[in-house]
Structures are given as C-alpha cells and as structure tokens.
Amino acid sequence: MILLANGKLITRDGAGTGFYPDGGVVTDGGKIVAVGTTAELKAQYPQAEFVDAKGGVIMPGLINAHTHIYSALARGLSIAGNNPTNFFEVLDGTWWAIDRHLDMEATKASAQALVIDSIKQGVTTIFDHHASFCEIPGSLMKIAEVTQEYGMRACLCYEVSDRDGDEKSIQSVQENKDFIDYCEKNPSDMLKALFGGHALFTISDKTFDRMVAANNGRVGFHIHVSEGMNDVYDSLQNYGRRPVQRLQDHDILGSKTLLGHCIHVNTAEMDIIKATDTMCVNNPESNMGNAVGISPILQLCQKGILVGMGTDAYTNDMLESLKVALCSQRHNACAPNVAWCEVTDMLFRNNAKIANRSFETPLGVLKPGAAADVIVMDYKPYTPFSDENIDGHMLFGMTGRQCQTTMINGKIVMKDRVLTQIDEEAVNAHVLESSKRLWGQLNHREY
Ligand SMILES: [Zn+2]
C-alpha cells in the first residue's frame, strides 16, 4: 500500500477538476483505494509507504491515444536524397523506408526508447500502431515484452498494408490475429489489442475482407483515415466512395474502432462516424509538420463524436500536443476564443473514455477503484491555482518533462526523475547502437 501525497491533487473525477490544495491518493495493488487530503489519508493509512509529492501537482497519468513505436529511432535522422514535397513522399521517403529496415532487434530498441521517453513525460498508457515490414511475425509480442517489463499500459496493433506486396500484407493480418489470440488467452488490463490498418489507400477490398475475417468481431480497428487528400482521391477514384463510407461498407466502424486523423472528412462522413459511435484521434503537431491540414475538431465535437488526442510519435509530450491543438484550432478558425474546452476535454476526458473502450479499469481519473496510474508534476505556480483555472496552467505553464514521479498500475516506475526498474544509461547505449545500425543501412555509411 502506497500513500502518494503532499501535493496539489487533481482527480478529474466529476464535472470539475476535483482539486484538493493539499491532497493525495492511497493505492493498493494496481488500484486506488482512497483519495483525500494529506492529513486525512496519513491518519487513516498510517501503515502505507509514504511517497512525498513535495508540493508538486498530483494528477492522473496521461494517455497517448495514437503513437508509432516504429519511428522512435528517427530522432535526428536525415535520409540522403529524401526531400518530400507532399504527404505521400513523407510516408514513402521516411517512414516506409525506416520500417522496411526494422528487424526484431530494432523494433525492440524502438519500443524501449519510446516507452522510456513516455514514462519520463508522465504518459502511463499508449495506443501504439506498429509497422516493421522487414520483420513482421512476432513484432507485437516483442513490443509487448518491453511494455510489460517497463510497466507501461499498452494497446497494440500492427498496421496492415498492401504496400509491400501480398505476402507481407497477409503476414501483417496474421500478426494482428496472433496478438489478439495471445491477449484473449492471457487477459491483462496492462495489455490490449486492436486490429491495425495503415490507411485506406494501401488496403484493397480483399485485404479488408481478410482483416475482418481474421478479427471475427473480437476487437476494434485502429486505422489512419483521410490524413492526406491522397487518401480521399484514392477512395473516390478507385472505389467510388469517400473513405469513411468505404470503411462502413467493410464493417470496420463501431464503438471500439479508432480512426486516426480524420482531417478531410465531410459532414456526411461525420454523420456516419457519429451514428456508428466510432472514435477519432487528433494528432495536431504531426498534422502541421506533414502539412496535411487541420482536423475539423470543432465540428467533430459539435456532432458529439468522441475525439481524443495522440501524438503520432511526433513527440511523446501530451502537454505539448495540448498547446499545439489549441493554437492550431484557433489559427484555423481565425477565432481566438474557440477550442479551449474541446482540446482540454480531448486530453483529460476523452482519452480516458477511448482507453476504457479497450481497458476495463477506469483510467484518466483518480478515485477509489480506478487504476493506480498517477503522476506528479514538478510545477510550482506563481499565480493563483484552483479548480477554476487549472486547465489554463496546463495549457500555458506545464510541460511533460516536469513529470517527476510516474506510477503505473500501482508501481512507481520513475521516482524523482530516476527510472526505478530500468538502467536508463545502459538501455540508451543499446538503443544508440541500434540507431547507428539502422541509420547505416538507410544511408549506406557508418555513424
Ligand atoms: Zn499515425
């Protein structure tokens, strides 16, 4: 039993932020058993191990609803001759080039790098969308070994695509099936599966049929939709329908399915997303970096569609994404008074709802019975800080790297910036060697 207290507590339970000026949580096993003031909890649970938040902000662990472990080794990489002039060239010249070189060892190193960086930025749950077309079979289990060992809550999938031919496409369908089978046989609320799909323009009708058959209604799908206009053109030209209509015709939509991006969706497509209770995930920095457009978040939210926030692995800092989400929506709308509620809900409320369509234990909230996924931020406000303005502090003051302590499933995985179960320097050295090998293969020279 752990008593994590002596901080400004934000529970996100109920309508407000659930603020206690001096509070904490008591955890037992993987769950929270009590929430209250520091004094109350100390009196009630004198036997609990005390972890001092040192006046920091205690809040629910952050959830990243869309990321890509496969891109972790790209930080600082430049691929010779790669100068993309459109979104397709970004994919082909950068990300597909990388994933075609990811063998099992490089996939493992990518997972180690991304999971460590996420823990250090207060992320306690990731929804990953993996591709390693060099070596597909077993790649999700390799990632799962890392998330389990490091204590990260994870929902994994493999991105099915026809881009590297029929054999690889069939392997990618099988990889999802095998991993879903594993999760069914070894139920754990730390590890879940979705059925991944790259994007409609690299998935044929036949492949969609294979995906649906292999899944057999067991989990939802996690797929990129209308991230670039090329996805829309492909759908119209080759299938006579817009992408969301095509997904509906293949029975891909539903309450457990997560659609990445949804930038170029029209109102008719939004109505289908709403009617099928399908989820969307916005990735603001990635979208701006790829120059693909701004997702119509305001309209999606107005329709009552569940929209969450991911990073697309552009960063692992959810608070940085929150800032960019607000700025990009306001910039796009030419209106400085919009999107505040939408983007804060996306990160602090909707990501929890999205996560709980896969995970059973309540996430993203600190209350008895919820998951003991708790972070402490080293944030000392120098302006008033209370229930009425906490999200303003999140938007304008707090960054992921202020995370000082991370608890996942009741285990402290980082305490005062030190990883408790991982030799960070040794792992970094290994990841560096793996990066050098990957970069060497891509650029035909030594690093
Ligand atoms: Zn993505």
Side-chain angles (χ1 to χ4, degrees):
M1 192 172 267
I2 293 174
L3 166 56
L4 171 57
N6 190 28
K8 296 170 190 64
L9 175 68
I10 299 167
T11 66
R12 298 280 174 194
D13 187 19
T17 56
F19 177 59
Y20 293 69
D22 180 2
V25 296
V26 177
T27 68
D28 193 14
K31 293 195 176 157
I32 291 168
V33 294
V35 168
T37 67
T38 301
E40 273 167 16
L41 296 176
K42 272 188 166 173
Q44 282 171 22
Y45 298 91
Q47 78 284 17
E49 178 194 343
F50 183 70
V51 176
D52 192 354
K54 301 175 182 172
V57 175
I58 303 168
M59 55 193 255
L62 298 165
I63 297 163
N64 187 345
H66 182 79
T67 190
H68 295 289
I69 278 170
Y70 69 72
S71 72
L73 305 187
R75 200 170 281 182
L77 168 68
S78 166
I79 301 175
N82 178 35
N83 179 29
T85 61
N86 58 47
F87 178 55
F88 180 83
E89 289 175 10
V90 170
L91 294 175
D92 191 41
T94 308
W95 305 116
W96 298 350
I98 288 173
D99 89 56
R100 284 180 186 127
H101 287 87
L102 290 186
D103 56 17
M104 208 55 83
E105 195 281 324
T107 288
K108 181 181 177 182
S110 303
Q112 290 172 312
L114 186 136
V115 170
I116 286 178
D117 201 40
S118 297
I119 288 171
K120 294 188 81 171
Q121 311 214 46
V123 173
T124 54
T125 301
I126 56 169
F127 279 70
D128 190 66
H129 196 278
H130 182 63
S132 53
F133 278 84
C134 171
E135 197 168 357
I136 299 170
S139 56
L140 294 182
M141 276 313 301
K142 186 56 74 180
I143 291 171
E145 283 170 21
V146 173
T147 63
Q148 305 266 62
E149 184 189 341
Y150 291 7
M152 174 62 71
R153 204 179 292 275
C155 181
L156 308 180
C157 72
Y158 192 94
E159 70 168 49
V160 171
S161 173
D162 297 330
R163 65 179 181 255
D164 281 3
D166 211 35
E167 189 189 337
K168 293 281 183 185
S169 173
I170 289 168
Q171 277 185 8
S172 62
V173 171
Q174 186 67 35
E175 181 61 9
N176 281 293
K177 182 181 183 300
D178 290 348
F179 189 67
I180 295 163
D181 288 347
Y182 174 85
C183 289
E184 278 187 344
K185 285 184 197 134
N186 302 274
S188 160
D189 219 30
M190 291 300 289
L191 187 62
K192 297 290 178 190
L194 287 173
F195 206 112
H198 170 245
L200 289 89
F201 75 95
T202 76
I203 303 176
S204 67
D205 283 344
K206 189 168 78 178
T207 299
F208 268 131
D209 290 343
R210 283 179 184 147
M211 290 164 67
V212 170
N215 184 40
N216 198 20
R218 294 180 293 171
V219 297
F221 293 87
H222 187 180
I223 182 167
H224 297 109
V225 179
S226 298
E227 181 175 2
M229 275 304 292
N230 62 321
D231 209 18
V232 180
Y233 295 142
D234 173 82
S235 206
L236 289 171
Q237 283 167 359
N238 296 317
Y239 304 95
R241 285 158 289 175
R242 291 184 67 94
V244 173
Q245 182 67 60
R246 194 171 163 232
L247 290 175
Q248 187 181 34
D249 292 346
H250 283 286
D251 213 10
I252 298 288
L253 303 178
S255 63
K256 292 198 166 180
T257 285
L258 184 56
L259 309 181
H261 306 293
C262 291
I263 294 169
H264 306 286
V265 289
N266 66 17
T267 51
E269 289 178 292
M270 291 181 199
D271 289 339
I272 295 171
I273 294 170
K274 173 62 184 163
T276 52
D277 196 22
T278 305
M279 307 175 282
C280 297
V281 55
N282 175 234
N283 303 274
E285 284 177 291
S286 166
N287 295 160
M288 293 183 83
N290 287 331
V292 286
I294 302 283
S295 177
I297 294 302
L298 302 177
Q299 275 178 283
L300 292 167
C301 290
Q302 202 171 27
K303 293 246 181 214
I305 293 165
L306 182 57
V307 185
M309 192 177 293
T311 62
D312 215 17
Y314 194 94
T315 174
N316 297 308
D317 184 346
M318 297 310 299
L319 292 161
E320 182 182 300
S321 290
L322 179 71
K323 293 167 174 59
V324 176
L326 182 72
C327 293
S328 61
Q329 289 299 320
R330 289 183 168 184
H331 187 76
N332 191 46
C334 295
N337 62 342
V338 298
W340 181 291
C341 297
E342 287 84 354
V343 300
T344 51
D345 274 354
M346 281 159 60
L347 179 57
F348 299 123
R349 306 258 176 211
N350 300 357
N351 274 10
K353 291 179 190 163
I354 287 170
N356 279 121
R357 289 189 182 183
S358 287
F359 296 91
E360 286 95 42
T361 317
L363 301 177
V365 58
L366 304 181
K367 64 178 183 183
D373 292 4
V374 191
I375 57 175
V376 181
M377 306 300 285
D378 176 18
Y379 182 74
K380 306 282 161 42
Y382 49 77
T383 54
F385 184 96
S386 75
D387 201 29
E388 66 182 38
N389 73 351
I390 278 169
D391 287 339
H393 283 272
M394 302 276 164
L395 273 162
F396 299 109
M398 199 180 271
T399 70
R401 294 211 175 270
Q402 285 165 327
C403 183
Q404 70 185 43
T405 293
T406 305
M407 172 193 277
I408 311 178
N409 197 33
K411 286 202 186 91
I412 303 235
V413 293
M414 180 174 76
K415 189 173 184 188
D416 297 326
R417 295 298 289 170
V418 178
L419 300 174
T420 58
Q421 328 187 77
I422 306 162
D423 181 345
E424 191 182 356
E425 263 184 50
V427 174
N428 278 351
H430 160 73
V431 171
L432 176 64
E433 285 312 307
S434 198
S435 306
K436 286 180 180 174
R437 193 167 63 88
L438 174 70
W439 292 20
Q441 289 166 353
L442 287 163
N443 280 332
H444 309 289
R445 72 175 173 94
E446 286 202 7
Y447 284 88

